[in-house]
């Protein structure tokens, strides 16, 4: 017995020594990282670094902006267990990450793995050649030429929405949860324009619309655990992983599983309907919806280029999720700002009414000069309040990020570039780029639509020439992973805002304050309410024209 205890004691001592050496080596590696001289905020926690600061619902957006202003275009953030990531909004560095060296700075594995688990192998979940293949096949469906064909459909759905809201406020102003209506509008727009089908009566929620609406809020609460999702695939086959998830007594997680099941079932039904319909109209080339264009392109592709059934199902789920949530929250943000700024709202209404009067009650929404003030409001809102405040990349090999605006290192040295090691996570600081005073001037964080009606300063046009991003901002990012549907989203916004503002007046309730939570998306909530789900009550008044 004594010899056994002695042996055990020796083994424990040896194990402790090995673990200690490993731990010291790991800590030294972290400390000796090339990022050691890059300035940044102190980690709030040894365990989570600054992660909880970044994703804090009520304060995350302001925290990001404060860090951006304090440390410049590149800052070091603490991550799990003493690790570091790089927060980047310097224009030249972003161009390197998103455009010039985009094959080195690939989509974050935690992001693609999470999207793969939620939706399947679609556009948000794939990388490399598979992603390029999918994007190439989807591209024609989002062309400006195709959007012209879809415009009358957007107008029709927007008029349905206006009719419902007008009937609610027919005799007297009413408080309306506008975000619910906008979500159903956006779902119907992607339904008819993307899937060739209606999702039902816009005045009523469906199981599918509620599931899709709750997905963002549910994921945002669970986002601190996103870094662990790449390891989930090592827990065995899909059926076993599902069994494990169903066994965890966490109501939020169980609701997430239900939501994913609902969306997957609906996507499979849509694909089956479209494939059947395509077979019936094989020679019909008058294709207006996105999925049918995709199916035709897929059919015409070679065997090695063709998407699988799982990839096609995933595209449907992803299109519904992204088109519905990001667009509805972007429109909601504009309406909230118009409600807070009645003078801007009235000026916009005058422009819209005048445009309708001069064009026989029909506006060409594809003509960007038709409603210049509306376009200025949309651009400024997307700049100051991007629906997605940040994105993530991972560094596949050692690289150098050149800086347009040098920063001062921890040792006082001026840094014109930052060396980034393989494996470093990059946080693409969208909101920091859009609020950069070196680009936009000292009033960068102020919402001023009129800045788009004058000649933009050279500092702004220089950024556009450097990165090629839309409207001189990072809202839709750049490169081969830029938002494929940004023209689709802007057209939706243009149409629905013009039609609503013509006949309806929006104001904020006196007894409620609207706040915007930071997460995967910026989402509206009632300040002080404990619910995680989106709410945006506005007073809607019908105007007699």
């Amino acid at each position: 017995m004594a010899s056994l205890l002695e042996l055990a004691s020796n083994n424990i001592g040896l194990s402790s020594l090995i673990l200690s050496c490993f731990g010291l080596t790991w800590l030294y590696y972290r400390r000796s990282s090339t990022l050691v001289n890059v300035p940044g905020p102190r980690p709030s926690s040894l365990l989570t670094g600054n992660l909880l600061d970044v994703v804090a619902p009520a304060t995350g957006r302001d925290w990001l902006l404060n860090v951006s202003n304090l440390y410049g275009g590149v800052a070091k953030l603490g991550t799990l267990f003493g690790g570091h990531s790089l927060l980047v909004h310097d224009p030249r560095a972003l161009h390197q990450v998103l455009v010039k060296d985009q094959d080195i700075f690939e989509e974050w594995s935690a992001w693609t793995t999470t999207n793969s688990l939620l939706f399947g192998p679609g556009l948000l979940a794939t990388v490399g050649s598979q992603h390029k293949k999918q994007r190439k096949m989807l591209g024609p469906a989002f062309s400006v030429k195709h959007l012209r064909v879809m415009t009358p459909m957007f107008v029709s759905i927007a008029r349905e929405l206006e009719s419902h809201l007008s009937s609610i406020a027919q005799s007297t102003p009413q408080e309306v949860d506008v975000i619910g209506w906008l979500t159903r509008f956006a779902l119907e727009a992607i339904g008819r324009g993307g899937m060739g089908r209606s999702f039902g009566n816009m005045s009523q929620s469906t199981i599918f619309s509620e599931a899709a609406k709750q997905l963002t809020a549910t994921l945002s609460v669970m986002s601190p655990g996103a870094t662990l999702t790449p390891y989930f695939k090592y827990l065995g086959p899909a059926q076993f992983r599902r069994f494990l998830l169903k066994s965890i007594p966490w109501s939020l997680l169980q609701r997430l599983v239900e939501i994913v099941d609902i969306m997957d079932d609906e996507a499979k039904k849509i694909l089956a309907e479209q494939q059947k319909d395509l077979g019936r109209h094989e020679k019909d080339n008058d294709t207006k919806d996105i999925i049918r264009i995709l199916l035709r392109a897929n059919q015409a592709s070679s065997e090695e280029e063709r998407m699988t059934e799982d990839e096609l199902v995933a595209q449907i789920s992803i299109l519904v999720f992204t088109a519905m949530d990001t667009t509805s929250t972007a429109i909601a943000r504009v309406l909230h700002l118009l409600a807070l700024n009645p003078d801007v709202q009235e000026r916009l209404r005058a422009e819209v009414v005048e445009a309708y009067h001069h064009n026989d009650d029909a506006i060409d929404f594809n003509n960007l000069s038709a409603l210049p003030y509306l376009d200025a409001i949309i651009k400024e809102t997307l700049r100051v309040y991007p629906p997605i405040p940040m994105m993530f990349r991972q560094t596949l090999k050692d690289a150098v990020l050149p800086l347009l605006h040098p920063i001062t290192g921890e040792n006082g040295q001026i840094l014109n570039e930052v060396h980034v090691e393989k494996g470093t996570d990059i946080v693409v600081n969208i909101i920091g780029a859009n609020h950069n005073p070196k680009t936009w001037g000292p009033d960068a964080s102020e919402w001023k639509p009129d800045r788009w009606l004058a000649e933009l300063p050279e500092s702004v046009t220089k950024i556009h020439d450097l990165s090629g991003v839309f409207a001189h901002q990072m809202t839709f990012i750049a490169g081969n992973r830029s938002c494929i549907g940004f023209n689709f989203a802007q057209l939706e916004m243009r149409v629905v805002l013009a039609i609503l503002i013509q006949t309806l007046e929006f104001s904020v309730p006196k007894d409620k304050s609207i706040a915007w939570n930071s997460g995967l998306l910026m989402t509206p909530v009632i300040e002080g309410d404990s619910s995680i789900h989106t709410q945006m009550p506005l007073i809607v008044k019908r105007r007699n024209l």
Side-chain angles (χ1 to χ4, degrees):
M1 177 68 73
S3 60
L4 286 174
L5 287 173
E6 186 180 336
L7 180 62
S9 176
N10 289 339
N11 284 338
I12 290 170
L14 182 61
S15 299
S16 299
L17 180 62
I18 291 170
L19 286 173
S20 298
C21 290
F22 175 78
L24 288 170
T25 303
W26 180 77
L27 285 173
Y28 175 78
Y29 169 76
R30 291 290 187 182
R31 185 61 189 160
S32 63
S33 161
T34 55
L35 302 185
V36 70
N37 195 33
V38 177
R42 290 177 62 85
S44 301
S45 161
L46 182 62
L47 179 64
T48 61
N50 298 116
L51 287 180
L52 296 183
D53 298 318
V54 174
V55 300
T59 59
R61 175 185 181 273
D62 291 340
W63 189 89
L64 270 176
L65 282 176
N66 187 48
V67 169
S68 302
N69 290 330
L70 278 176
Y71 299 100
V74 174
K76 179 175 60 185
L77 296 185
T79 56
L80 293 178
F81 311 120
H84 293 116
S85 62
L86 206 58
L87 180 69
V88 179
H89 78 258
D90 180 89
R92 184 164 287 151
L94 285 177
H95 180 259
Q96 198 81 10
V97 170
L98 298 172
V99 181
K100 191 172 181 181
D101 282 342
Q102 53 192 316
D103 291 332
I104 294 176
F105 298 96
E106 187 55 271
E107 191 74 75
W108 195 35
S109 60
W111 171 255
T112 54
T113 304
T114 300
N115 286 322
S116 180
L117 293 169
L118 292 171
F119 308 116
L123 203 60
L124 296 183
T126 54
V127 297
S129 59
Q130 188 181 14
H131 178 83
K132 289 174 184 175
K133 174 192 74 174
Q134 293 181 356
R135 190 177 176 99
K136 181 181 177 182
M137 208 171 286
L138 278 164
F142 292 97
S143 67
V144 174
K145 179 182 176 182
H146 182 237
L147 288 177
R148 286 187 175 278
V149 177
M150 297 175 71
T151 304
M153 177 269 297
F154 284 151
V155 172
S156 174
I157 300 171
R159 290 203 182 281
E160 286 178 38
L161 174 62
E162 188 275 335
S163 178
H164 284 301
L165 294 177
S166 287
S167 64
I168 292 172
Q170 180 69 39
S171 54
T172 182
Q174 296 290 325
E175 183 180 300
V176 178
D177 182 12
V178 174
I179 190 66
W181 286 95
L182 293 176
T183 300
R184 293 195 288 277
F185 160 78
L187 177 62
E188 193 63 6
I190 192 60
R192 293 191 210 171
M195 317 298 156
R197 60 166 288 181
S198 170
F199 283 109
N201 188 345
M202 201 186 299
S203 64
Q204 295 178 338
S205 297
T206 64
I207 294 175
F208 182 62
S209 66
E210 278 302 304
K213 179 184 173 185
Q214 291 176 23
L215 181 56
T216 294
T218 306
L219 287 173
S220 292
V221 173
M222 301 172 72
S223 61
T227 53
L228 302 176
T229 54
Y231 304 102
F232 188 65
K233 61 186 176 184
Y234 298 114
L235 297 180
Q239 285 186 324
F240 179 68
R241 296 199 303 263
R242 184 180 180 81
F243 169 76
L244 287 179
L245 287 178
K246 296 292 285 185
S247 303
I248 298 173
W250 185 14
S251 60
L252 201 63
L253 179 61
Q254 298 312 316
R255 179 54 183 155
L256 179 61
V257 174
E258 289 174 12
I259 290 170
V260 170
D261 286 345
I262 290 168
M263 294 188 68
D264 187 58
D265 288 345
E266 191 69 23
K268 286 176 179 174
K269 287 178 190 174
I270 291 169
L271 180 61
E273 289 170 7
Q274 285 279 28
Q275 287 174 328
K276 189 176 179 181
D277 195 52
L278 195 66
R280 284 198 301 262
H281 304 91
E282 205 168 338
K283 295 182 180 178
D284 179 15
N285 291 318
D286 187 22
T287 302
K288 294 182 180 179
D289 56 85
I290 294 168
I291 294 303
R292 198 176 302 186
I293 291 174
L294 175 61
L295 289 177
R296 285 194 183 281
N298 201 48
Q299 211 173 50
S301 298
S302 61
E303 191 67 37
E304 60 272 13
E305 289 293 312
R306 204 167 292 165
M307 288 193 206
T308 65
E309 195 91 349
D310 286 344
E311 286 179 281
L312 293 170
V313 170
Q315 308 308 343
I316 293 173
S317 294
I318 287 170
L319 283 172
V320 169
F321 171 63
T322 54
M324 189 181 79
D325 265 22
T326 53
T327 306
S328 61
T329 54
I331 298 168
R333 179 71 85 164
V334 176
L335 289 178
H336 185 207
L337 289 166
L338 293 177
L340 292 170
N341 298 274
D343 55 329
V344 175
Q345 182 178 166
E346 193 54 45
R347 180 178 164 187
L348 173 61
R349 184 175 294 109
E351 178 184 76
V352 172
V353 171
E354 183 72 11
Y356 271 116
H357 177 71
H358 280 289
N359 292 280
D360 298 323
D361 206 34
I363 296 175
D364 179 7
F365 288 103
N366 295 285
N367 178 6
L368 296 181
S369 63
L371 297 166
Y373 193 50
L374 173 59
D375 279 316
I377 288 171
I378 291 172
K379 286 178 181 177
E380 183 70 345
T381 303
L382 291 172
R383 183 189 72 82
V384 180
Y385 303 103
I388 300 175
M390 58 191 162
M391 294 292 287
F392 302 90
R393 295 290 184 269
Q394 60 186 14
T395 311
L396 301 183
K397 65 180 184 180
D398 292 357
V400 175
L401 294 183
L403 304 179
L404 182 65
H405 305 296
I407 60 171
T408 303
E410 294 276 23
N411 62 2
Q413 177 187 355
I414 300 300
L415 302 179
N416 293 294
E417 60 185 25
V418 173
H419 293 257
V420 186
E421 292 175 339
K422 176 183 176 180
T424 303
D425 288 335
I426 304 291
V427 183
V428 178
N429 188 2
I430 294 172
I431 200 161
N434 287 0
H435 286 244
N436 191 347
K438 291 181 179 177
T439 302
W440 295 96
D443 62 351
S445 291
E446 295 179 43
W447 186 72
K448 291 183 173 181
D450 278 305
R451 77 170 78 234
W452 295 93
L453 299 176
E455 186 177 346
L456 292 170
E458 185 183 351
S459 56
V460 175
T461 55
K462 181 180 179 181
I463 300 308
H464 179 263
D465 295 338
L466 173 68
S467 60
V469 296
F470 161 77
H472 324 286
Q473 55 183 288
M474 285 305 303
T475 301
F476 296 103
I477 63 171
N480 62 9
R481 297 196 79 98
S482 61
C483 176
I484 195 171
F486 75 91
N487 282 320
F488 187 100
Q490 289 174 91
L491 179 60
E492 268 189 85
M493 293 179 72
R494 199 177 297 128
V495 169
V496 73
L497 288 167
I499 287 173
L500 293 184
I501 213 69
Q502 183 188 16
T503 57
L504 300 172
E505 185 178 305
F506 299 90
S507 58
V508 291
K510 289 186 172 64
D511 59 339
K512 291 172 186 164
S513 181
I514 298 165
W516 287 79
N517 277 356
S518 183
L520 293 177
L521 292 175
M522 299 295 300
T523 53
V525 294
I526 297 174
E527 196 167 353
D529 195 300
S530 59
S531 173
I532 65 169
H533 298 300
T534 57
Q535 300 176 77
M536 198 181 82
L538 293 180
I539 304 300
V540 180
K541 177 184 175 182
R542 190 174 188 279
R543 293 173 63 94
N544 295 317
L545 294 178

